[in-house]
Amino acid sequence: MDAVVIHENLKARFGDRIGSLTVDNPDPFIVVDRSALKEIGTFLKDEPGYEFDFLENLTGLDLGDKFVSVYHLLSYKHRHSLVLRVELSKDQPTAPSVSEVWPAANWHEREQYDLLGITYTGHPDLRRIMLPEDWVGHPLRKDYEQPKGYHGISHERANVLDGFKALDDRDHPLPVVAPSKPEADGEQ
Amino acid sequence: MTSYTTEIIDDGKMLINMGPQHPSTHGVINFLVETDGEVIDRAIPEIGYLHRGIEKIGEMVPYPGFMPYTDRVDYLAAMFANESYAMAVEKLLGLELPRRARYLRVIACELNRLASHLVGTGCMPMDLGAFTPFTHWVRERETANDLTEELCGARLTYNYLRIGGVSQDLPVGFDKRLLQYLDHIEPIIPEFNRLITGNEIFVKRLANVVPVTGEEAIAYGLVGPNLRASGVDWDLRRDLPYSAYGEMDFEVPIGKGVRGVVGDCYDRFVVRIEEMTQSIRILRQAVEGLPEGELTCKVPKKIKPPAGTDAFARTESARGELGCYLLADGTDKPARVRFRTGSFAAMCIIEDKSPGLMIADLVAFIASIDVVAPEIDR
């Protein structure tokens, strides 16, 4: 089913909790209200004709002024796909968890929580997944500052080029024209 | 990512670490296993030991410069990560590939799938205590690696694909050598089946062990051979064709529960073996039907997709659907890169399937879903 048709049908059913549809994009996407996300997800998953049974991907985005949670859905039966977006506030990015609708969301949400700091309410086990539990900050945020080290292990390494620069900066530099060079012929 | 020391908890139950260094975890993964003797109460996968921040790196390098990094997503099947990244950028730019480039991609990918399944199906008996099959398959994989080395100069981290095509043409005589290799390996698969696939001990270790139903597989987002083993007839190459797969003629093997129930560990093994035969079939067609033409389409010198556009591209990797999501912000670097990998999805089902399993069956289960640690952690 086409994204335009799905958008119209959703609009008719859920009213203004369905936001705009953007078709001017490689993958058209529909913005939905976060309070209705779970309801819409359940509808899209179970309703005959849609049956988006496979949550392909769940991504968080840091757009600077707001966070976005993106859901890529696919239906094995009807071979169509759909992209949903939920817009979240910059200060408190919180979205409802869809892990009850699609169990596959469980780890994806944990990963977005870990790397972007988006909180998924209602998630059964929301804790860090990739990084250690005592890690500070969320690395994929645009304002993230990389720490200097972790438990005494430095994150910085000397630049190997500095070694070569040091050779150039010595008090007695190497002779620029070596006697064996062709252009030195006849002079020395 | 947590690790605990082994301890006795109430009722004489034990909490033990299976990993991060464990021969059957295929890399660095930890399983926190709560056991009552040999029976598992719960096994919690703890991942992240190989997290290299590939998605963060992707935001720091220009579009073409990220290609070598994508090799590191899955070192056994690097071509697919190359391809899904390239396809995502091509989707953002709206590029149309020349036919020859698409065929070359099919050749590279199928050769890689063959090599990856050789390791997958070789490691599985090894995890269960049969070492010999692995040595046979690694020998065969050597030739596949030699061929990819001829093709792009690398045996594992290929960096062969480019945005808009491939980096180089087939070397002189490559098609002949590839066909020779296919003729050589095709009769070895039945030989391998006689050695291990039909082996009674092997079958007893796998048949009826941890069956995953089709509904469960879909719900947990299992993809690729793991999904097909559960009886779901779905293959991106056939159902949403990309590259030149639409022009290829091949079958999609699915799990039939030949020795047990549909979706058990044995099915997952058999599906991979059958897929190798199909890869050989596709390779033959691609080499024989290779059209003349350009290697790349016209790609802008500075790749700067319009700000705010995003694209999700999927390929059928050896470990199932490998998706790459890109968000552009109008500069020459993406604002967000994300890889959705098959191993990550496969890992999250383990915790829910683990209660009541024997420890040895957990090993069989992990081996049968063919996870690769860097693909989980990225």
Side-chain angles (χ1 to χ4, degrees):
Chain A
M1 206 183 283
D2 194 28
V4 181
V5 182
I6 296 175
H7 182 247
E8 275 170 18
N9 294 352
L10 285 178
K11 196 102 189 160
R13 190 182 167 98
F14 290 97
D16 33 312
R17 287 185 293 172
I18 304 289
S20 59
L21 164 77
T22 307
V23 279
D24 187 21
N25 194 43
D27 293 315
F29 61 84
I30 298 172
V31 179
V32 300
D33 193 69
R34 72 179 171 161
S35 62
L37 175 67
K38 227 167 126 178
E39 207 182 320
I40 294 165
T42 317
F43 172 77
L44 287 173
K45 189 192 166 200
D46 298 332
E47 187 75 9
Y50 301 93
E51 281 152 296
F52 289 100
D53 43 6
F54 176 34
L55 178 74
E56 271 188 296
N57 184 29
L58 196 162
T59 317
L61 307 175
D62 180 359
L63 297 185
D65 56 340
K66 65 183 173 209
F67 282 91
V68 173
S69 196
V70 189
Y71 304 83
H72 288 85
L73 311 176
L74 185 87
S75 167
Y76 282 129
K77 193 173 171 190
H78 304 290
R79 296 184 189 183
H80 55 200
S81 57
L82 183 71
V83 186
L84 295 182
R85 277 192 182 201
V86 179
E87 296 187 346
L88 314 168
S89 75
K90 171 81 190 159
D91 307 323
Q92 274 211 326
T94 313
S97 167
V98 290
S99 57
E100 280 173 24
V101 188
W102 297 282
N106 186 323
W107 275 31
H108 285 300
E109 283 174 353
R110 272 179 72 187
E111 192 185 347
Q112 300 315 311
Y113 164 73
D114 188 358
L115 302 179
L116 270 155
I118 297 174
T119 311
Y120 291 92
T121 49
H123 188 283
D125 184 22
L126 196 66
R127 58 195 169 90
R128 285 191 186 269
I129 185 166
M130 295 291 179
L131 303 173
E133 263 163 26
D134 57 351
W135 194 268
V136 182
H138 304 283
L140 287 184
R141 285 195 175 187
K142 294 292 174 200
D143 56 0
Y144 177 73
E145 276 179 30
Q146 195 179 337
K148 291 267 180 279
Y150 174 71
H151 286 291
I153 308 164
S154 174
H155 286 169
E156 284 165 356
R157 234 185 326 183
N159 188 343
V160 270
L161 290 178
D162 288 343
F164 292 110
K165 278 188 204 137
L167 278 178
D168 291 343
D169 297 341
R170 289 184 311 185
D171 287 345
H172 307 288
L174 295 170
V176 177
V177 180
S180 56
K181 280 241 175 137
E183 59 264 38
D185 278 354
E187 289 177 17
Q188 283 176 326
Chain B
M1 194 173 111
T2 338
S3 58
Y4 303 100
T5 48
T6 303
E7 56 181 304
I8 308 276
I9 47 181
D10 55 335
D11 303 335
K13 286 181 186 166
M14 248 184 154
L15 184 66
I16 51 171
N17 280 300
M18 190 173 144
Q21 309 276 340
H22 191 278
S24 77
T25 54
H26 293 247
V28 201
I29 316 166
N30 189 15
F31 291 89
L32 289 170
V33 189
E34 214 180 286
T35 66
D36 185 0
E38 275 284 302
V39 182
I40 293 170
D41 276 2
R42 206 154 65 116
I44 308 167
E46 293 290 344
I47 64 167
Y49 294 91
L50 281 172
H51 180 62
R52 289 144 301 161
I54 278 188
E55 295 172 0
K56 183 82 179 168
I57 295 171
E59 295 172 12
M60 294 172 169
V61 291
Y63 286 96
F66 187 54
M67 193 59 85
Y69 288 101
T70 61
D71 290 333
R72 275 77 182 170
V73 170
D74 176 358
Y75 56 74
L76 287 179
M79 214 64 92
F80 301 101
N82 270 199
E83 192 178 25
S84 66
Y85 177 69
M87 276 167 60
V89 182
E90 285 151 13
K91 204 169 169 183
L92 278 177
L93 297 172
L95 300 179
E96 192 63 43
L97 253 66
R99 202 153 158 256
R100 186 177 178 85
R102 285 192 264 141
Y103 266 70
L104 289 174
R105 281 186 178 188
V106 168
I107 292 174
C109 285
E110 289 308 315
L111 190 58
N112 198 193
R113 186 187 316 275
L114 190 59
S116 174
H117 280 347
L118 286 174
V119 177
T121 53
C123 278
M124 200 164 149
M126 190 172 72
D127 287 344
L128 303 173
F131 194 82
T132 316
F134 181 66
T135 58
H136 284 255
W137 268 169
V138 164
R139 187 191 64 206
E140 300 312 326
R141 180 169 167 259
E142 272 307 294
T143 324
N145 280 359
D146 287 344
L147 284 168
T148 43
E149 191 176 8
E150 271 184 50
L151 184 64
C152 58
R155 298 168 68 84
L156 281 179
T157 48
Y158 308 117
N159 188 19
Y160 175 59
L161 269 55
R162 291 288 178 275
I163 294 162
V166 294
S167 64
Q168 48 215 306
D169 208 343
L170 295 186
V172 179
F174 180 87
D175 45 352
K176 222 176 99 195
R177 282 189 293 278
L178 178 61
L179 289 174
Q180 221 171 17
Y181 171 60
L182 298 180
D183 289 340
H184 160 77
I185 198 169
E186 203 165 19
I188 297 186
I189 293 174
E191 192 183 322
F192 184 83
N193 286 343
R194 283 200 297 279
L195 172 71
I196 189 77
T197 314
N199 183 306
E200 205 51 38
I201 305 171
F202 185 66
V203 172
K204 283 202 166 142
R205 282 294 305 273
L206 295 175
N208 294 314
V209 170
V210 207
V212 178
T213 63
E215 291 80 47
E216 276 175 333
I218 293 172
Y220 281 91
L222 292 195
V223 284
N226 296 332
L227 178 76
R228 290 190 281 278
S230 296
V232 182
D233 193 7
W234 176 269
D235 190 317
L236 279 175
R237 291 174 292 171
R238 184 197 62 194
D239 296 316
L240 295 171
Y242 59 94
S243 197
Y245 284 111
E247 302 169 30
M248 304 290 161
D249 175 35
F250 61 101
E251 282 160 24
V252 177
I254 58 167
K256 297 187 189 79
V258 270
R259 301 296 289 267
V261 292
V262 175
D264 59 3
C265 291
Y266 190 69
D267 269 357
R268 283 188 277 277
F269 179 79
V270 171
V271 161
R272 287 194 174 84
I273 295 274
E274 287 174 356
E275 263 185 29
M276 292 197 312
T277 320
Q278 298 302 324
S279 283
I280 292 172
R281 199 169 147 191
I282 297 173
L283 275 171
R284 284 223 172 87
Q285 293 171 43
V287 171
E288 276 155 15
L290 184 64
E292 292 299 318
E294 296 290 312
L295 293 182
T296 50
C297 60
K298 267 205 176 323
V299 183
K301 265 230 164 68
K302 272 270 175 203
I303 296 179
K304 284 183 182 174
T309 53
D310 64 352
F312 182 73
R314 35 178 111 79
T315 54
E316 183 73 36
S317 149
R319 270 156 210 84
E321 179 180 322
L322 204 160
C324 179
Y325 174 84
L326 287 176
L327 173 75
D329 61 356
T331 65
D332 61 344
K333 295 170 191 165
R336 177 86 166 94
V337 183
R338 168 145 175 83
F339 281 101
R340 181 258 187 254
T341 60
S343 299
F344 185 77
M347 283 297 283
C348 82
I349 198 174
I350 290 179
E351 184 176 348
D352 289 344
K353 293 299 277 183
S354 62
L357 288 185
M358 306 288 277
I359 291 181
D361 288 347
L362 179 68
V363 172
F365 185 40
I366 298 165
S368 76
I369 55 177
D370 189 25
V371 292
V372 167
E375 210 202 17
I376 304 167
D377 295 341
R378 302 181 301 282

